[in-house]
């Protein structure tokens, strides 16, 4: 019998729930159909839960309040997607209900579940029943009722799980799209999986290492439906095409000018899209929203501080990739108002531009300049009334300008000369402005970014007063060689010493294909020690030629 739940026991429950979710993430992905068919609910919940469990491992106290707070903080920082953010809010409220407590009784645990549900519902702009919210609410309601006469926490958790499973089975009756496809809600299934881990830990039972079996999946997914759930939605049905996630790190000077109010912030963002979730504490605000123009909501967020942990995914492309070519646009369809074409080398850099909203990314760059024809073909493929082209290389600007002159639609070239300038320009795009105004704004934004590259020398030379030996690495800042060294990392450090000033706040590092993760980790550790006030972001650009591409703002 378990009459009191302390921090050590709860920590083991969290780790068990996280482990069980990891084992079943792919199966939960397969259920995903609401609110958009992007197939990543299990992955998002797993990454969120893993982050929470990681923080729990760092706690040495037996006080349940401290363990729960660490869990909630880890979930918030790692939360991804609708499901991950809702999960973080369930346990944010859960943690707040038990401040400074060493342990919980069954009744206090039930109250914690209930407080979690209330917090999660407040965080969602338009709560939808038949989702993880419903499963959490129904399970918490049973917990509150049963705890009035049940003092054994293991027995209570058993009843909570039973109701969560029953509620999950009812989700298709609440959401027509689930019933049509023959699935239960994927987020709800994720929560049930976590609760299964909780109960197994309380009982001292082992959970299966394997993912759920095919026969079990048949109970979750109606066997008569052989098509993917995603096929029940046309790509054209997705009203808001970009799944946009970011965090705002509050800055005193900005919040002094624009005091942050969570409700007002949420209401303003709601005007730009749907599936909105906003959660905040004293240091950060985390946003998940589906929008058509990501730049608008990013601009709103910047009023209050710096943007971190940004992720933008094109859900139309995700959907098309899942269901095949049947929903792709044909030339006869109506043209989009705007499109952005950009040039990039490296699959990681290409993915980064796509996540920022690029319509077409042309593979190319240094030593592989796309032709005027390549850019002309991309303009046609973009199928838009107004097209902005970002060359991202000084050797491609003229070809882009030629393609613009040949085009039958409005085309403007933003003469970006580096990848960082291209990224800066992308973030400045505003769909509410005309193409001329956008060109000017994007060009100004690109000019405010300091760009650096690290590559190797192919011969001995002396340039810009620096002697360079064949095979050594060179650090180039805005077209001029600023540093050279036999070691890649030392070259980066010397280059950044020339680039970074006291006014700079953000350093973005694009990792080249010849650089290992271990090298990047060691470099970032050194840079964080050297530049304590600089926020460092790393993306695996997988670009050739340049070991590192650097952006300083």
């Amino acid at each position: 019998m378990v009459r009191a739940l302390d921090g050590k026991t709860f920590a083991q429950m969290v780790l068990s729930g996280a482990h069980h979710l990891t084992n079943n993430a792919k199966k939960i992905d397969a259920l995903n159909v609401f609110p958009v068919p992007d197939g990543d609910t299990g992955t998002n919940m797993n990454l969120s839960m893993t982050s929470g469990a990681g923080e729990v491992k760092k706690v040495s106290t037996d006080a349940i309040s401290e363990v729960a707070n660490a869990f909630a903080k880890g979930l918030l920082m790692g939360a991804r997607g609708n499901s991950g953010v809702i999960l973080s809010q369930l346990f944010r409220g859960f943690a707040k209900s038990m401040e400074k407590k060493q342990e919980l009784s069954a009744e206090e645990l039930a109250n914690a579940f209930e407080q979690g549900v209330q917090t999660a519902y407040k965080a969602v702009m338009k709560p939808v029943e038949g989702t993880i919210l419903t499963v959490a609410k129904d399970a918490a309601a049973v917990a509150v009722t049963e705890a009035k006469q049940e003092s054994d926490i293991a027995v209570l958790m058993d009843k909570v799980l039973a109701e969560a499973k029953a509620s999950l089975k009812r989700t298709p009756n609440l959401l027509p799209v689930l019933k049509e496809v023959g699935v239960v809600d994927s987020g709800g299934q994720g929560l049930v999986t976590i609760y299964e881990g909780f109960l197994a830990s309380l009982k001292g039972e082992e959970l299966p290492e394997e993912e759920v079996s095919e026969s079990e999946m048949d109970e979750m997914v109606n066997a008569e439906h052989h098509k993917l759930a995603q096929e029940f939605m046309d790509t054209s049905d997705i009203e808001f095409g970009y799944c946009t996630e970011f965090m705002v790190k509050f800055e005193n000077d900005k919040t002094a000018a624009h005091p942050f109010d969570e409700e007002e912030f949420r209401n303003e963002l709601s005007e730009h899209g749907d599936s909105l979730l906003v959660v905040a504490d004293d240091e950060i605000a985390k946003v998940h929203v589906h929008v058509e123009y990501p730049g608008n909501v990013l601009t709103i967020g910047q009023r209050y501080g710096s943007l971190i942990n940004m992720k933008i995914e094109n859900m139309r492309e995700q959907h098309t990739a899942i269901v095949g070519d049947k929903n792709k646009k044909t030339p006869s369809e109506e043209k989009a108002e705007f499109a952005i074409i950009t040039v990039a080398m490296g699959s990681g850099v290409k993915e980064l531009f796509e996540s920022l909203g690029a319509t077409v990314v042309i593979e190319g760059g240094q030593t592989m300049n796309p032709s005027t024809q390549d850019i002309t073909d991309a303009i046609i493929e973009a199928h838009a009334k107004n097209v902005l082209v970002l060359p991202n290389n000084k050797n491609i600007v003229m070809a882009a300008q030629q393609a613009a002159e040949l085009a039958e639609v409005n085309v403007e070239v933003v003469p970006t000369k580096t990848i960082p300038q291209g990224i800066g320009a992308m973030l400045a795009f505003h769909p509410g402005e005309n193409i001329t105004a956008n060109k000017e704004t994007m060009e100004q934004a690109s000019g405010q970014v300091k760009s650096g590259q690290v590559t190797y020398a192919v011969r001995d030379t002396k340039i810009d007063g620096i002697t360079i030996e064949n095979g050594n690495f060179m650090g180039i800042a805005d077209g001029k060689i600023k540093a050279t060294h036999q070691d890649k990392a030392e070259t980066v450090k010397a280059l950044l010493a020339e680039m970074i000033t006291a006014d700079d706040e953000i350093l973005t590092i694009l990792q080249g294909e010849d650089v290992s993760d271990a090298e990047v980790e060691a470099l970032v550790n050194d840079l964080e020690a050297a530049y304590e006030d600089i926020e460092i972001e790393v993306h695996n650009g997988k670009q050739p030629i340049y070991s590192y591409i650097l952006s300083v703002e």
Side-chain angles (χ1 to χ4, degrees):
M1 180 175 287
V2 183
R3 292 193 177 276
L5 184 64
D6 61 16
K8 183 177 180 180
T9 304
F10 181 63
Q12 290 303 314
M13 290 168 63
V14 168
L15 298 181
S16 178
H19 183 66
H20 194 40
L21 186 61
T22 297
N23 287 340
N24 290 277
K26 290 183 180 178
K27 295 296 183 182
I28 296 168
D29 280 345
L31 295 173
N32 198 191
V33 70
F34 182 85
V36 292
D38 51 9
D40 60 0
T41 295
T43 300
N44 284 337
M45 292 187 76
N46 181 39
L47 292 170
S48 305
M49 191 71 180
T50 299
S51 177
E55 290 301 311
V56 167
K57 289 179 182 178
K58 299 176 184 178
V59 180
S60 57
T61 179
D62 284 345
I64 191 167
S65 59
E66 293 189 34
V67 175
N69 281 330
F71 182 41
K73 187 69 174 180
L75 281 171
L76 175 63
M77 296 304 294
R80 302 193 186 203
N82 266 344
S83 54
V85 175
I86 291 173
L87 185 66
S88 74
Q89 291 310 288
L90 286 172
F91 286 99
R92 180 189 183 194
F94 182 94
K96 282 189 173 182
S97 76
M98 59 183 76
E99 289 185 5
K100 298 181 181 180
K101 290 184 179 179
Q102 286 292 121
E103 57 186 27
L104 300 182
S105 65
E107 195 165 357
E108 288 170 330
L109 177 62
N111 180 62
F113 280 127
E114 177 63 25
Q115 290 297 312
V117 169
Q118 292 179 17
T119 300
Y121 267 85
K122 288 178 182 177
V124 180
M125 191 68 189
K126 297 178 182 178
V128 176
E129 298 301 335
T131 65
I132 181 176
L133 287 169
T134 304
V135 175
K137 179 181 66 176
D138 292 348
V142 164
V144 171
T145 300
E146 294 294 331
K148 293 176 181 178
Q149 62 263 354
E150 180 56 68
S151 60
D152 188 335
I153 290 174
V155 173
L156 180 67
M157 193 68 224
D158 200 348
K159 293 180 178 180
V160 168
L161 174 59
E163 178 55 29
K165 289 181 175 179
S167 179
L168 178 65
K169 288 183 178 180
R170 295 193 293 266
T171 56
N173 296 326
L174 297 173
L175 268 182
V177 66
L178 299 178
K179 195 165 192 174
E180 180 182 14
V181 178
V183 298
V184 294
D185 178 66
S186 54
Q189 179 63 56
L191 185 63
V192 166
T193 302
I194 292 168
Y195 284 176
E196 286 175 341
F198 283 7
L199 180 61
S201 178
L202 275 173
K203 290 184 172 182
E205 298 175 350
E206 293 292 328
L207 286 163
E209 291 295 320
E210 299 282 333
E211 295 180 352
V212 293
S213 66
E214 292 301 322
S215 62
E216 290 174 311
M217 271 298 293
D218 286 342
E219 294 181 9
M220 292 188 286
V221 184
N222 194 325
E224 70 183 40
H225 293 277
H226 298 293
K227 295 180 180 179
L228 288 172
Q230 287 82 357
E231 293 183 7
F232 284 81
M233 178 185 283
D234 289 335
T235 305
S236 59
D237 293 336
I238 301 175
E239 181 180 1
F240 300 105
Y242 296 92
C243 177
T244 304
E245 295 183 42
F246 61 94
M247 298 176 75
V248 180
K249 186 177 181 181
F250 295 138
E251 296 175 349
N252 291 336
D253 58 336
K254 290 187 176 180
T255 53
H258 301 281
F260 181 80
D261 181 281
E262 186 172 336
E263 185 175 355
E264 290 181 5
F265 184 56
R266 184 182 291 110
N267 289 337
E268 184 172 8
L269 292 179
S270 71
E271 298 175 2
H272 295 269
D274 61 14
S275 295
L276 172 65
L277 284 166
V278 175
V279 296
D281 60 18
D282 294 336
E283 299 176 358
I284 62 168
K286 186 174 181 68
V287 176
H288 171 283
V289 63
H290 295 165
V291 296
E292 191 62 17
Y293 303 108
N296 289 354
V297 292
L298 294 175
T299 299
I300 293 170
Q302 281 185 296
R303 293 178 192 162
Y304 307 99
S306 58
L307 301 180
I308 59 174
N309 297 348
M310 292 178 286
K311 181 168 75 73
I312 304 172
E313 295 179 337
N314 186 325
M315 295 185 295
R316 295 189 183 96
E317 290 297 317
Q318 288 178 330
H319 182 260
T320 299
I322 293 170
V323 302
D325 296 336
K326 68 174 186 175
N327 292 320
K328 285 187 177 179
K329 292 181 179 179
T330 62
S332 61
E333 289 182 321
E334 184 177 352
K335 290 181 177 179
E337 191 65 28
F338 272 104
I340 300 177
I341 296 170
T342 185
V343 182
M345 57 179 182
S347 59
V349 179
K350 179 177 183 289
E351 291 170 3
L352 179 58
F353 274 114
E354 288 173 340
S355 75
L356 293 173
T359 312
V360 180
V361 180
I362 304 172
E363 296 271 7
Q366 197 68 22
T367 77
M368 192 172 65
N369 298 164
S371 65
T372 298
Q373 184 63 59
D374 292 331
I375 300 172
T376 298
D377 291 343
I379 292 171
I380 295 171
E381 181 185 348
H383 200 61
K385 299 174 185 176
N386 301 283
V387 180
L388 290 154
V389 181
L390 281 57
N392 299 336
N393 188 296
K394 65 180 180 181
N395 296 326
I396 304 173
V397 173
M398 289 184 66
Q401 290 171 339
Q402 287 185 137
E405 292 174 4
L406 296 171
E408 297 180 357
V409 295
N410 294 329
V411 179
E412 292 285 355
V413 177
V414 181
T416 51
K417 297 177 181 178
T418 65
I419 294 295
Q421 286 184 1
I423 294 171
M426 289 290 302
L427 291 171
F429 172 71
H430 194 298
E433 301 289 346
N434 61 41
I435 189 170
T436 303
N438 264 304
K439 178 189 175 180
E440 293 174 357
T441 302
M442 293 168 78
E443 191 167 346
Q444 288 175 2
S446 68
Q448 295 173 2
V449 177
K450 290 184 280 188
S451 305
Q453 298 92 22
V454 171
T455 187
Y456 55 91
V458 295
R459 62 180 179 274
D460 293 341
T461 187
K462 185 173 182 178
I463 188 169
D464 294 336
I466 298 176
T467 300
I468 305 164
E469 296 180 8
N470 183 19
N472 280 7
F473 291 92
M474 300 179 294
I476 305 167
D478 294 324
K480 292 187 177 182
I481 298 173
K482 297 290 186 179
T484 183
H485 200 278
Q486 293 178 333
D487 182 75
K488 284 195 291 263
E490 292 301 320
T491 307
V492 174
K493 295 173 190 177
L495 176 60
L496 289 175
E498 296 287 333
M499 294 176 64
I500 294 177
T501 66
D503 295 330
D504 294 318
E505 299 177 343
I506 301 174
L507 165 63
T508 303
I509 300 173
L510 298 181
Q511 173 185 348
E513 63 181 8
D514 65 329
V515 181
S516 69
D517 291 343
E519 286 178 274
V520 174
E521 183 177 359
L523 174 62
V524 170
N525 288 338
D526 290 344
L527 294 176
E528 286 177 339
Y531 302 100
E532 295 181 356
D533 296 329
I534 294 286
E535 183 180 315
I536 301 175
E537 297 180 8
V538 178
H539 300 277
N540 192 351
K542 302 176 186 177
Q543 69 271 6
I545 304 173
Y546 296 109
S547 300
Y548 293 98
I549 296 177
L550 310 168
S551 171
V552 176
E553 301 174 72

